[in-house]
Amino acid sequence: MNRVVLKPKRDWSVRKHHPWIFSGAIAFGEAGVGETVEVVSAEGEMLGYGSFSPASQIRVRMLSFDPQRVPDGAYVAELVAQAISRRAAFFAPESTTNACRVINAESDGLPGVVADYYDGYVVCQLTSAGAEHWKQTVVHALMKGVPGAKGVAERTDVDVRAKEGLLSHAETQRRGGVAGFGVLAGEEPPELIEIREGDIRYFVDVRNGHKTGFYLDQRDARSAVGALAKDREVLNCFCYTGGFGLAAAAGGAKHVTQVDISHDALELAKKNEELTLGEGRMTEDGRRFGYVEADVFHYLRKCRDEGRTFDLVVLDPPKFAATKSQVEKAARGYKDINLLAMKLLKPNGILATFSCSGAMTSELFDKVLAEAAVDAHRDFQMIGRTRQGADHPVALNFSEGLYLKGVIMRRMA
Ligand code: SAH
């Protein structure tokens, strides 16, 4: 087995079981793409084993912090089995959903491996060289371990794979950044998979949708918003396939305006409305849903200029900051939309606002929101916080794993 030797004093993060070793921490040591290496301190002490990624800044991702435990196929399969067993409640007959994240990468001990479950079908995203190396083992263990697994498929993100040296430059160019999809085992999933989340039904497009098709990570937040929505006029910004809006309607909202820039997402949101509420209830007391294909930055200004107001606004934008260097620009974006949304709220109106940028800390997000409130000349009280659901756990030694933060607040009369 090849060996990677760390520079003096660069072993502390591995000793704290942080899974990433950056290229700058390595004195010497080479290996092939995704190969398992021994990780050794400058003094020669064995610290564990990781997967080597020659093209990435994150040169090694730790698989085992135990020098006695060499990661082989059986070890990786066992990690998959453990991840599945930790989600037992989601697979139980009394579960209120048939969709969850089954493997959450580093935080389940499997760097770069994401696996989402949608009513029998598992969709993986393998985003590191090590994850690719162990692909067959992971797929086999998923088919074996996920209760009632019908098939395992893969969504590939070309940009990430290029970064990990898993695609040639030519290949990256040729594919033009388009996501790929392939069946790895078992049955091919249908064009749309139907899932449920409590009373709500969604179609998930695992081939063309975002991430693996659905924002499973917002499950708890959708339910929190639903519980606050009774009799409210709701504006759901960045609605994707309708999640927060459907949750609000199920919670008794008077009317929901769903806004997204993506035509395809809105089309699916409409289908989800029909699927959840049925033709009859949908038209019971006039249409309960409006759909707007627009840039939220513009639409909020339009609402402001027209003097429109709402009782509940949801802001769940895409990632504004991918890296630390983009945080400042991202903060301006968050401040802009939150300030505008605050101005649209009636007295006692509720703002449910989210950031899924890992680089944006919870503290900084709070600060941005507080500044936005001052500039909007409004007073708010915080009434709740949300985060990614329990099927998206965060290993305590891997704070990077906490990316999704939500704040629910009320405008004081
Ligand atoms: N709330 C959703 C997930 C939102 S994902 C859920 O619970 O499922 C972010 C969404 O923002 C995507 O659907 C994307 O199409 C949309 N989006 C990105 N930039 C936008 C913009 N400037 N204006 C409107 N929508 C945008």
Side-chain angles (χ1 to χ4, degrees):
M1 191 183 285
N2 287 305
R3 165 175 287 200
V4 161
V5 179
L6 303 183
K7 289 180 183 164
K9 300 202 173 68
R10 296 302 291 269
D11 52 346
W12 56 272
S13 76
V14 179
R15 289 187 192 280
K16 287 185 177 164
H17 288 201
H18 191 284
W20 291 349
I21 301 175
F22 287 90
S23 57
I26 295 175
F28 57 88
E30 285 291 333
V33 179
E35 264 175 36
T36 304
V37 292
E38 292 177 0
V39 177
V40 176
S41 74
E43 294 73 34
E45 189 186 340
M46 257 297 285
L47 301 172
Y49 304 87
S51 303
F52 198 75
S53 192
S56 172
Q57 285 293 341
I58 307 173
R59 194 59 47 91
V60 176
R61 287 177 171 81
M62 296 302 286
L63 269 178
S64 164
F65 294 97
D66 178 356
Q68 310 300 325
R69 199 71 173 86
V70 185
D72 54 9
Y75 175 84
V76 170
E78 176 58 23
L79 290 180
V80 173
Q82 285 170 5
I84 296 168
S85 76
R86 285 192 279 265
R87 273 81 174 175
F90 286 97
F91 294 108
E94 63 273 20
S95 172
T96 54
T97 184
N98 57 352
C100 68
R101 174 151 297 184
V102 185
I103 303 174
N104 195 35
E106 274 77 352
S107 293
D108 276 307
L110 287 158
V113 181
V114 158
D116 290 339
Y117 169 88
Y118 301 108
D119 191 31
Y121 298 95
V122 180
V123 183
C124 300
Q125 272 185 320
L126 305 170
T127 59
S128 69
E132 181 71 21
H133 179 83
W134 292 108
K135 177 149 110 180
Q136 290 313 321
T137 307
V138 168
V139 169
H140 185 76
L142 282 166
M143 275 306 274
K144 192 170 151 220
V146 168
K150 295 180 207 157
V152 178
E154 178 184 25
R155 273 288 293 268
T156 49
D157 180 320
V158 174
D159 288 345
V160 173
R161 289 172 70 83
K163 243 191 226 167
E164 284 290 308
L166 298 172
L167 279 183
S168 68
H169 181 68
E171 180 74 344
T172 308
Q173 298 280 312
R174 191 177 69 71
R175 298 201 200 179
V178 175
F181 182 85
V183 175
L184 301 175
E187 285 173 36
E188 171 143 4
E191 211 167 298
L192 295 175
I193 303 175
E194 189 180 322
I195 63 159
R196 66 190 147 77
E197 217 176 68
D199 294 333
I200 303 166
R201 303 252 178 301
Y202 299 97
F203 285 125
V204 178
D205 181 347
V206 295
R207 288 172 184 75
N208 307 301
H210 294 175
K211 307 221 272 185
T212 62
F214 193 68
Y215 289 87
L216 289 167
D217 52 3
Q218 284 286 36
R219 184 191 308 107
D220 295 350
R222 282 189 286 268
S223 124
V225 164
L228 291 165
K230 195 161 172 42
D231 296 329
R232 289 185 190 266
E233 172 91 20
V234 178
L235 177 63
N236 182 20
C237 298
F238 309 96
C239 72
Y240 189 50
T241 57
F244 282 102
L246 287 165
K254 213 165 27 187
H255 186 269
V256 178
T257 306
Q258 309 262 45
V259 189
D260 203 282
I261 204 162
S262 155
H263 181 77
D264 291 347
L266 285 173
E267 286 305 306
L268 204 45
K270 289 176 197 169
K271 281 195 184 146
N272 289 337
E273 176 197 334
E274 250 177 68
L275 184 67
T276 297
L277 303 180
E279 301 269 355
R281 281 179 57 193
M282 193 169 74
T283 50
E284 198 180 351
D285 42 6
R287 283 193 67 85
R288 284 175 76 198
F289 287 86
Y291 295 88
V292 180
E293 189 179 322
D295 182 329
V296 165
F297 287 84
H298 298 156
Y299 187 72
L300 289 173
R301 288 187 163 76
K302 184 164 172 270
C303 289
R304 177 196 62 192
D305 295 345
E306 292 172 357
R308 293 191 59 184
T309 56
F310 297 90
D311 305 297
L312 199 171
V313 177
V314 178
L315 291 177
D316 186 21
K319 202 182 337 184
F320 286 165
T323 61
K324 278 193 185 136
S325 61
Q326 296 166 356
V327 166
E328 212 174 296
K329 185 159 172 273
R332 284 198 295 275
Y334 285 116
K335 185 171 170 188
D336 186 37
I337 52 173
N338 279 283
L339 195 160
L340 287 161
M342 286 167 172
K343 289 216 169 202
L344 299 183
L345 282 174
K346 291 176 196 159
N348 287 313
I350 287 171
L351 176 62
T353 182
F354 303 91
S355 164
C356 61
S357 307
M360 184 90 187
T361 61
S362 187
E363 291 73 24
L364 184 55
F365 190 46
D366 286 0
K367 201 172 137 228
V368 168
L369 296 175
E371 282 174 13
V374 169
D375 289 3
H377 305 291
R378 298 273 195 272
D379 283 315
F380 282 87
Q381 51 185 201
M382 210 184 273
I383 56 174
R385 277 189 192 279
T386 68
R387 40 155 288 162
Q388 60 213 64
D391 52 336
H392 295 61
V394 183
L396 264 192
N397 42 39
F398 183 61
S399 56
E400 291 86 345
L402 177 63
Y403 62 95
L404 181 57
K405 306 151 289 284
V407 173
I408 302 180
M409 53 181 137
R410 177 165 46 212
R411 181 182 163 191
M412 294 158 82

